[in-house]
Amino acid sequence: PSSSIDAVEFNEVWGYVMNKREKDYTPELPVTNISYFISAVNTFSELDEVPPKEKFFNNTSARVHLVTSCDSKAQTHLLLSPEYSLRDKIIDQLIVATETYDGLQIDWELVPADDAEHFAQFLKILKSKLNGKMLSVAIPARIKTLEKDAYNYETISSIADRIIVMAYDQHWSTSKPGTIAGTDWCEKIADYALTKIEPDKLVMGMSFYGRAWRDDTEGGKAYIYSSIEKLIKEHKVKKIVRDEYLTPSFTFTKKLTITTWYDDAASI
């Protein structure tokens, strides 16, 4: 927005490619590291089939890291517990799946606080079995140290090669409307992270998406940047407002029809 803003050069630029959206990536994009999101750990606590790196990233000079996630807090607890064989099983599957890749990224966002020690042990075992490949871990944004936290910055930084701090979703689908990653909020996150994480390990996550909120109780919806542009065009948005940090927002009004199906005494 302003020519007075200086360009900042980074040693590494990371970008995410989502499973089934591989066509959105082209080798011309200026990224040094690609985080390739595969399907989450499935119902049977196993990985679905993982394509080899060359299937989608044969022509890139960037390092490609396989990203794993787990979408259930209860399943995460069982997978991390040393009491069960599930932990060794999923570790072995992750190591095999990463064979053709340059590294592995753990993006398990539902680790219970009481499983902090088990999570750290899980990361240590993975690191030891990756044979020198990069281990990166995505962790939630923090502005201070919590008393109980599975994502303790210092602990994870002592194990992993890179820490991706998810400095976004400051406002979320069911919160009041607001910035996805306000500049002042992100500055606090970065300042705190630098007190706990070695600078050459720190990767600050940035938001390239938006959210829309309605004035009823149905909650918010997330939009990728191209969809935001489509909203502006389709609804003929004329006024885009920027806050003191130049973060844009806009409002439009549309007729809303809500259809509701339900059961009552007669239908039951």
Side-chain angles (χ1 to χ4, degrees):
S2 170
S3 59
S4 65
I5 297 176
D6 294 329
V8 178
E9 186 173 337
F10 294 96
N11 294 326
E12 295 178 1
V13 178
W14 291 60
Y16 283 87
V17 175
M18 307 303 292
N19 178 37
K20 297 181 180 178
R21 292 192 58 183
E22 294 86 358
K23 61 179 177 57
D24 290 342
Y25 171 75
T26 62
E28 291 75 29
L29 289 170
V31 295
T32 60
N33 292 264
I34 299 167
S35 298
Y36 177 40
F37 240 112
I38 58 172
S39 300
V41 175
N42 67 27
T43 304
F44 305 101
S45 293
E46 297 176 338
L47 295 183
D48 290 332
E49 186 177 354
V50 177
K53 172 185 170 181
E54 56 268 19
K55 181 172 182 179
F56 298 113
F57 306 103
N58 194 39
N59 297 319
T60 182
S61 59
R63 292 181 293 195
V64 184
H65 310 261
L66 204 64
V67 183
T68 172
S69 59
C70 186
D71 294 339
S72 160
K73 183 176 285 190
Q75 185 182 35
T76 300
H77 167 71
L78 294 173
L79 282 166
L80 293 176
S81 175
E83 298 176 39
Y84 310 106
S85 60
L86 290 175
R87 186 183 72 172
D88 292 340
K89 176 183 173 183
I90 199 65
I91 285 174
D92 289 344
Q93 289 189 356
L94 286 168
I95 296 302
V96 170
T98 312
E99 280 183 351
T100 61
Y101 290 83
D102 302 298
L104 174 67
Q105 185 172 132
I106 304 299
D107 186 16
W108 289 23
E109 300 181 17
L110 297 173
V111 180
D114 288 341
D115 281 331
E117 187 175 333
H118 292 163
F119 186 46
Q121 188 64 27
F122 172 73
L123 296 176
K124 287 177 182 176
I125 297 171
L126 281 170
K127 177 63 179 171
S128 70
K129 293 193 171 189
L130 280 170
N131 293 322
K133 291 186 177 182
M134 187 179 290
L135 174 66
S136 54
V137 183
I139 58 178
R142 298 281 189 260
I143 59 174
K144 64 180 180 179
T145 300
L146 304 182
E147 187 175 341
K148 287 182 67 175
D149 191 4
Y151 304 102
N152 181 277
Y153 279 28
E154 275 186 292
T155 300
I156 295 176
S157 180
S158 70
I159 303 167
D161 300 297
R162 295 291 186 279
I163 309 294
I164 289 81
V165 175
M166 297 183 286
Y168 37 78
D169 261 4
Q170 179 184 7
H171 295 88
W172 56 97
S173 60
T174 55
S175 77
K176 64 180 182 180
T179 51
I180 304 302
T183 302
D184 51 347
W185 181 71
C186 289
E187 187 174 19
K188 293 176 184 176
I189 295 166
D191 287 345
Y192 171 72
L194 284 168
T195 68
K196 304 296 179 182
I197 300 170
E198 297 171 41
D200 59 352
K201 289 188 175 186
L202 176 60
V203 181
M204 288 294 292
M206 301 179 70
S207 63
F208 286 101
Y209 67 99
R211 287 192 182 276
W213 287 265
R214 287 155 42 169
D215 60 357
D216 56 24
T217 59
E218 300 304 309
K221 182 178 179 181
Y223 291 91
I224 60 174
Y225 188 82
S226 58
S227 297
I228 292 284
E229 290 185 312
K230 187 177 179 183
L231 274 180
I232 293 171
K233 184 177 181 181
E234 287 183 349
H235 295 282
K236 298 180 173 60
V237 174
K238 301 296 184 185
K239 185 178 181 181
I240 294 178
V241 179
R242 294 183 182 272
D243 68 8
E244 60 182 309
Y245 300 104
L246 304 180
T247 307
S249 64
F250 60 87
T251 300
F252 63 87
T253 302
K254 59 182 289 188
K255 182 178 179 180
L256 181 66
T257 300
I258 299 176
T259 301
T260 308
W261 287 71
Y262 70 109
D263 281 299
D264 63 6
S267 66
I268 295 297

